[in-house]
Amino acid sequence: MKAMKKKIGILGVAALLFVGCYEDKGNYDYHDINDVLAVTFSPAPDRVTEDSVYTYTYPMSSEDTMFLTFTPTVTQSQAADESQLEFQWIFEGTNSYDTVFSRELTLAFPFQELVTYEPLFRLIDHSTGIEYYRSFDISTREAYINSWYALHGAPGDRRIGVAEISDDGEVTVTEDAYEVAFGVRRFQNAEGMYYSSYDLMSAMPPISADNEKLMIYEADSCTQLAPFSFVQRKTYREMIYPNRPLLPIAEGIDDEMGNGQSVSSVILRLADGSCYWSRSNTMGYYFSVKADNSIGTYHADKVFIPRGVNGSPDPYMLIWDDTRKQFFHYQMPALPMLTTPLLAHPGDDAYDSGKRVKAVPEDAFEEGELDDMEVLAMVLSSTDGKTGVVFHNTSDDSYWYYDMGFEGMEGVDYSFNVTRTQLVDLGINENSLFATSYEFPDQLFFTVNGDVCLYNITSDAVNTIYTVSGEITDMRFAVSRSYFSYMYPENLNFRLGLAVQTADGQGEIHDLRLGNSGDVNESYVCTGFGPIVDLVFAVRNRLF
């Protein structure tokens, strides 16, 4: 984005170094004089730096040019009016200084532009010759980047809240970011969210860096938003074509941009068990995940996209059908690099390459092996191309971790392999949550009541790394696929987020900063939410 900057210089006068100073007029005949006791400003600054600079930071304008007015209030010891006061706002130009002779200063912040103003406020009391100075740093920022988004509140009163944590650990919570952006409430009946950092690649050339997407689900609709401005991009009817029934969306699954390629694969799983796929080349449009005639139909109760490898076949999704107690897979079609933008949905068959949902090879499992299995979670495996699956065997109350997926190259040595590990007694229950990160190979993070625990799959070592006072309702890594670490120097791969519901029904976000061994080095607690329904992390795509 273009940056615009108005900066004030030193002006070459020592008076700028002081909060207040005056010129000695050589008059020593003492008498009561007026004194400026205080100068305050509206709005008040976000903070005052150690060198007395008044700093203001605002989110970028998300709809139109934003105008902000800064007004000084002067408290005097003697004078009842301000007729003897002169107000100036001084800006540094290219080879000169521009001065606005006005009590108030109104600044313009253009639509979605990063802007910085650094005026010097000058107040002259002509009755005494005393001058006062204040330095200002007023800027806009890209709102909410590298932040936790929480859908929170009671049904019918939902909000999209955001928790921002600055580099120096300062926590800022926005209760309803949509209302802040547009001044109105929306999505009060939302039931879930989904975020993708790379699902809207524009036409080539050029490629836009604005590829991120925030999806908000309601019972009978879904809306695609630009996550940092909350501008609407597409409605459910525009995304899914033609005339698909408006069905509740159960969840969205993202491969966090890649599978070793410069495209992102996304799956929407609907409440009726059907799925739709999208890749960044399709610019946010979705297409049916169709079943092969050999299986007739499928019901997706769990879905996951394994981490791919450079040179591997196209990414695939793994599907668990709990009714059939069977795994299926679907290889997402390769897409051409588009050279013209898609202005409307091209039709459900536009990218139909003939690929269909098929059953996982029968020889991958023993006969009846999955009959009593209940899938608790499907998570990122430490092995490329595979998925970690946490099972509960209801027949003997045992718990298992299967590492499963395709290996080799299609047509050469492409087989579906499974590695089975029985878990030691971890205290897991029906409310336990699971998370993995490629930065922590063979480590399974899980919750038991208010504890976050770390289990080493190879050594059976178990450690409690964090405890909350309340119920953990969601747990996820900010970024879990480490081959993007060059894009995310902030160590986002080491940030684990928790949604916590306290005893009094309030919501909290706990941001855990992990060390290389998985221990918690730092933690930040973000309060000010209602009960949290869904939690996502919004990160700026930095590929381009």
Side-chain angles (χ1 to χ4, degrees):
M1 293 187 179
K2 181 176 70 176
M4 180 171 63
K5 190 170 187 179
K6 298 291 185 182
K7 185 178 181 181
I8 183 65
I10 301 300
L11 295 182
V13 291
L16 300 187
L17 302 177
F18 301 95
V19 172
C21 62
Y22 64 93
E23 180 181 349
D24 188 348
K25 300 296 185 179
N27 184 354
Y28 300 100
D29 184 12
Y30 297 103
H31 58 276
D32 289 338
I33 64 172
N34 182 58
D35 190 17
V36 174
L37 300 178
V39 181
T40 59
F41 294 87
S42 177
D46 298 329
R47 65 189 181 98
V48 180
T49 65
E50 291 182 357
D51 53 351
S52 300
V53 177
Y54 285 33
T55 65
Y56 298 77
T57 306
Y58 297 96
M60 281 192 308
S61 174
S62 59
E63 190 172 18
D64 204 344
T65 297
M66 175 174 64
F67 295 93
L68 294 174
T69 299
F70 298 84
T71 304
T73 298
V74 181
T75 303
Q76 305 177 80
S77 63
Q78 299 291 329
D81 59 39
E82 297 180 347
S83 59
Q84 82 286 4
L85 300 181
E86 180 180 340
F87 298 88
Q88 299 178 8
W89 298 86
I90 305 169
F91 295 85
E92 180 183 6
T94 304
N95 298 305
S96 62
Y97 296 100
D98 297 325
T99 302
V100 177
F101 295 90
S102 172
R103 185 175 193 277
E104 297 180 334
L105 176 68
T106 298
L107 299 175
F109 298 86
F111 170 67
Q112 287 196 345
E113 281 194 15
L114 294 177
V115 180
T116 297
Y117 292 100
E118 293 182 344
L120 178 72
F121 172 78
R122 182 187 188 192
L123 173 66
I124 306 173
D125 184 345
H126 286 290
S127 67
T128 63
I130 296 176
E131 300 182 6
Y132 293 82
Y133 296 86
R134 296 290 186 274
S135 296
F136 283 74
D137 186 342
I138 307 167
S139 62
T140 56
R141 59 179 171 80
E142 292 185 289
Y144 315 132
I145 292 174
N146 290 357
S147 301
W148 295 101
Y149 284 44
L151 179 64
H152 67 105
D157 191 30
R158 296 271 160 80
R159 294 172 167 85
I160 304 171
V162 181
E164 300 174 88
I165 305 173
S166 66
D167 292 340
D168 58 6
E170 182 179 354
V171 174
T172 302
V173 171
T174 303
E175 183 182 20
D176 191 334
Y178 189 90
E179 186 177 21
V180 168
F182 298 107
V184 296
R185 293 286 307 280
R186 191 181 177 188
F187 304 117
Q188 293 95 317
N189 296 309
E191 297 182 351
M193 294 189 304
Y194 164 72
Y195 180 81
S196 175
S197 64
Y198 190 54
D199 192 35
L200 288 169
M201 190 171 71
S202 65
M204 289 187 66
I207 297 178
S208 168
D210 190 21
N211 294 307
E212 303 82 10
K213 176 184 70 177
L214 178 67
M215 298 272 276
I216 308 297
Y217 316 147
E218 297 173 87
D220 57 356
S221 67
C222 181
T223 306
Q224 186 186 105
L225 301 176
F228 308 121
S229 67
F230 289 89
V231 172
Q232 178 174 301
R233 283 174 169 158
K234 290 183 176 66
T235 65
Y236 189 103
R237 289 296 190 190
E238 293 171 315
M239 288 183 282
I240 299 180
Y241 173 91
N243 300 321
R244 298 296 181 189
L246 294 175
L247 296 172
I249 295 175
E251 64 175 333
I253 299 93
D254 177 24
D255 69 358
E256 281 182 10
M257 192 184 76
N259 278 292
Q261 306 175 42
S262 60
V263 290
S264 174
S265 304
V266 182
I267 297 295
L268 289 185
R269 183 173 68 87
L270 274 60
D272 68 346
S274 63
C275 293
Y276 291 84
W277 68 271
S278 173
R279 296 182 74 178
S280 49
N281 303 52
T282 66
M283 301 182 187
Y285 295 108
Y286 288 82
F287 304 88
S288 298
V289 175
K290 300 176 181 178
D292 190 77
N293 291 333
S294 62
I295 67 170
T297 186
Y298 66 91
H299 189 282
D301 294 287
K302 298 283 186 182
V303 174
F304 195 77
I305 305 174
R307 179 187 187 273
V309 194
N310 279 316
S312 68
D314 291 321
Y316 71 95
M317 58 184 285
L318 189 65
I319 301 171
W320 168 250
D321 187 326
D322 195 56
T323 302
R324 295 192 187 187
K325 299 294 182 181
Q326 189 174 4
F327 283 100
F328 299 94
H329 66 96
Y330 175 76
Q331 201 170 74
M332 281 166 279
L335 299 178
M337 188 63 72
L338 299 174
T339 57
T340 56
L342 291 178
L343 301 179
H345 199 296
D348 198 45
D349 296 326
Y351 295 111
D352 188 355
S353 63
K355 297 183 185 296
R356 298 290 185 267
V357 174
K358 297 181 179 180
V360 164
E362 294 181 1
D363 58 0
F365 302 97
E366 299 291 335
E367 184 176 353
E369 179 180 352
L370 303 177
D371 289 353
D372 297 317
M373 290 295 198
E374 174 182 60
V375 173
L376 302 182
M378 297 173 71
V379 296
L380 186 70
S381 167
S382 297
T383 307
D384 293 348
K386 289 192 175 183
T387 300
V389 183
V390 182
F391 287 104
H392 176 214
N393 189 324
T394 57
S395 64
D396 60 7
D397 202 29
S398 60
Y399 291 87
W400 295 78
Y401 178 85
Y402 281 22
D403 203 40
M404 63 173 70
F406 287 101
E407 294 181 353
M409 297 296 294
E410 192 170 15
V412 181
D413 183 22
Y414 196 53
S415 57
F416 193 93
N417 297 313
V418 181
T419 301
R420 301 158 176 82
T421 302
Q422 184 171 358
L423 304 180
V424 298
D425 185 7
L426 302 176
I428 296 170
N429 56 49
E430 66 275 7
N431 296 319
S432 291
L433 304 169
F434 303 87
T436 57
S437 169
Y438 203 73
E439 290 290 352
F440 301 98
D442 300 317
Q443 304 284 324
L444 181 65
F445 294 80
F446 67 97
T447 65
V448 178
N449 302 321
D451 291 335
V452 179
C453 304
L454 178 58
Y455 172 65
N456 188 305
I457 298 169
T458 58
S459 69
D460 283 338
V462 184
N463 294 299
T464 298
I465 63 171
Y466 191 75
T467 300
V468 305
S469 178
E471 178 188 0
I472 302 174
T473 59
D474 204 348
M475 177 174 69
R476 65 186 63 224
F477 278 91
V479 173
S480 63
R481 304 181 186 234
S482 66
Y483 58 90
F484 299 131
S485 59
Y486 70 94
M487 293 173 53
Y488 305 132
E490 303 89 349
N491 288 326
L492 299 181
N493 303 294
F494 290 83
R495 289 178 65 174
L496 182 65
L498 310 175
V500 176
Q501 184 163 323
T502 63
D504 60 359
Q506 298 304 301
E508 299 176 345
I509 295 175
H510 292 230
D511 184 294
L512 310 184
R513 310 296 174 90
L514 306 180
N516 291 328
S517 63
D519 294 328
V520 178
N521 288 344
E522 296 177 281
S523 62
Y524 300 90
V525 179
C526 312
T527 61
F529 301 97
I532 296 176
V533 180
D534 211 346
L535 180 69
V536 299
F537 190 84
V539 59
R540 169 67 82 185
N541 161 42
R542 295 183 178 177
L543 184 63
F544 302 104

